[in-house]
Amino acid sequence: EDIVVSEVSLDASQSRVTLTRLPDVPGVASRIFEAVAEGGVMVDMIVQNVSHHGHTNISFTVPREDIDRCLLLVREVMEPWPEAELQHDRQIAKLSVAGIGLRSHTGVGERMFRALAESNVNVQLINTSEIRISAVVAIEQGEVAVKSLQQAFGLSASR
Amino acid sequence: EDIVVSEVSLDASQSRVTLTRLPDVPGVASRIFEAVAEGGVMVDMIVQNVSHHGHTNISFTVPREDIDRCLLLVREVMEPWPEAELQHDRQIAKLSVAGIGLRSHTGVGERMFRALAESNVNVQLINTSEIRISAVVAIEQGEVAVKSLQQAFGLSASR
Ligand SMILES: C[C@@H](O)[C@H](N)C(=O)O
Ligand SMILES: C[C@@H](O)[C@H](N)C(=O)O
């Protein structure tokens, strides 16, 4: 099972953008990411959870050097959504556990979240794929978090 | 740029579980996924967005044949969180656009969301990685959605 996870990493180079109270109707995600793409800003994680009373939030992460420009690009297209708000977190820590077949190896996510919990690290965003589970935490918890994951998976960090 | 995206797929075999109004404190994600893992249920997507007033939601997807058992497992561990609620969607359609280097190819996400929007498909959840962008939509929109993505990326669907 230790062969399943090949890498634990900390990425402290990104910022988070979150649009809240977006109308949950077709065309909203498209409008946002069209603006960001046309501005040439690279997007790493995109996270959207289910809506509540017709509204939902979309968060995404970008390189820190692009955050200010990204916020300008996004604000420009928010006009049709007067209730929506824009928030951001300039400094975030993204922890990733990478491997193969994470879906069928049911213990990996559990082990990652348990290691973070035991180190009192709070998970702010979660995003997953077959080969990577990522959790965003506060920047000041990044070092503790990656050490905790290293220990849990018996690996040294790659950054 | 067409070389970047190698596959468009529709997965109509999963169900969604969402826990709402969870306290946003360490140990919550761990407790949930420990219960699911110990029950032997495979988890595909996990999505959590940022909290609001100390609460947040966690959604995840599982094979449809496991949904009932999964709900039982999760309910058992929700006792410490009296405000939390459990919802699910038995039938969801997960659309994925797969390729390489999706982070640096800023047009892929935009093209995917635009194709869905133009077909009036509403995006319920979004989850991303370097090699895959996934959007969950209502089951009845799955076919329209995958055809729209096939057309947008010039590929036939793989399922
Ligand atoms: C919120 C956003 O994802 C919207 N549901 C859309 O389809 O664009
Ligand atoms: C909501 C959940 O992710 C919580 N923040 C935790 O760290 O477990």
Side-chain angles (χ1 to χ4, degrees):
Chain A
E1 219 229 72
D2 291 319
I3 294 170
V4 171
V5 171
S6 57
E7 184 184 72
V8 164
S9 59
L10 165 64
D11 177 353
S13 71
Q14 301 198 52
S15 299
R16 168 181 59 83
V17 177
T18 299
L19 291 89
T20 63
R21 291 192 63 72
L22 290 166
D24 188 18
V25 297
V28 171
S30 168
R31 184 174 170 90
I32 294 164
F33 292 106
E34 190 163 2
V36 176
E38 280 173 16
V41 175
M42 285 182 8
V43 170
D44 181 17
M45 292 167 74
I46 302 174
V47 169
Q48 177 188 318
N49 209 337
V50 289
S51 63
H52 181 64
H53 298 318
H55 288 98
T56 190
N57 305 335
I58 292 179
S59 289
F60 60 96
T61 65
V62 300
R64 196 163 302 142
E65 56 269 27
D66 293 334
I67 183 66
D68 292 318
R69 194 157 62 81
C70 184
L71 292 170
L72 288 174
L73 293 164
V74 170
R75 242 188 225 299
E76 274 178 27
V77 299
M78 285 175 69
E79 198 176 344
W81 316 314
E83 294 181 22
E85 295 183 355
L86 183 59
Q87 10 162 300
H88 69 284
D89 191 349
R90 192 165 293 266
Q91 292 195 310
I92 57 172
K94 175 187 166 189
L95 282 310
S96 294
V97 168
I100 49 165
L102 300 188
R103 178 175 177 175
S104 47
H105 289 94
T106 48
V108 178
E110 172 206 1
R111 198 195 290 194
M112 176 181 188
F113 297 128
R114 186 188 306 180
L116 295 176
E118 286 175 356
S119 300
N120 213 31
V121 173
N122 193 47
V123 173
Q124 300 176 342
L125 274 85
I126 300 172
N127 190 36
T128 56
S129 75
E130 183 77 1
I131 61 169
R132 180 181 296 269
I133 302 178
S134 295
V136 169
V137 309
I139 191 82
E140 58 272 17
Q141 295 206 295
E143 286 293 335
V144 165
V146 74
K147 287 195 176 70
S148 172
L149 292 178
Q150 285 174 48
Q151 195 159 23
F153 290 100
L155 293 166
S156 56
S158 62
R159 305 180 194 191
Chain B
E1 222 228 70
D2 290 316
I3 295 172
V4 170
V5 171
S6 56
E7 185 184 71
V8 164
S9 58
L10 165 64
D11 177 354
S13 71
Q14 301 197 51
S15 300
R16 167 180 61 82
V17 177
T18 299
L19 291 90
T20 62
R21 292 193 62 74
L22 290 166
D24 188 19
V25 298
V28 171
S30 169
R31 185 175 170 89
I32 294 165
F33 292 106
E34 190 164 1
V36 176
E38 281 175 14
V41 176
M42 285 181 8
V43 170
D44 181 18
M45 293 169 73
I46 302 174
V47 169
Q48 175 188 321
N49 209 338
V50 290
S51 63
H52 181 62
H53 297 318
H55 289 96
T56 191
N57 306 334
I58 291 178
S59 290
F60 59 97
T61 65
V62 300
R64 195 164 300 143
E65 56 268 27
D66 294 333
I67 183 68
D68 293 316
R69 193 157 62 82
C70 184
L71 292 170
L72 288 173
L73 293 165
V74 171
R75 245 193 222 297
E76 274 178 28
V77 299
M78 285 175 69
E79 197 176 345
W81 316 315
E83 295 180 23
E85 296 184 354
L86 183 59
Q87 11 163 298
H88 69 285
D89 191 348
R90 192 164 293 266
Q91 292 195 309
I92 57 172
K94 175 187 167 189
L95 283 309
S96 294
V97 168
I100 49 166
L102 300 188
R103 178 176 178 176
S104 47
H105 289 94
T106 48
V108 177
E110 172 205 3
R111 197 196 291 195
M112 177 180 188
F113 297 129
R114 186 190 304 183
L116 296 176
E118 286 175 356
S119 300
N120 213 30
V121 173
N122 193 48
V123 173
Q124 300 176 341
L125 272 87
I126 300 172
N127 190 34
T128 56
S129 75
E130 183 76 2
I131 60 168
R132 181 180 295 269
I133 302 178
S134 295
V136 169
V137 309
I139 191 80
E140 59 271 16
Q141 294 205 298
E143 286 294 335
V144 165
V146 74
K147 286 193 178 69
S148 172
L149 292 178
Q150 285 175 50
Q151 193 158 28
F153 290 100
L155 293 167
S156 56
S158 60
R159 303 180 195 195

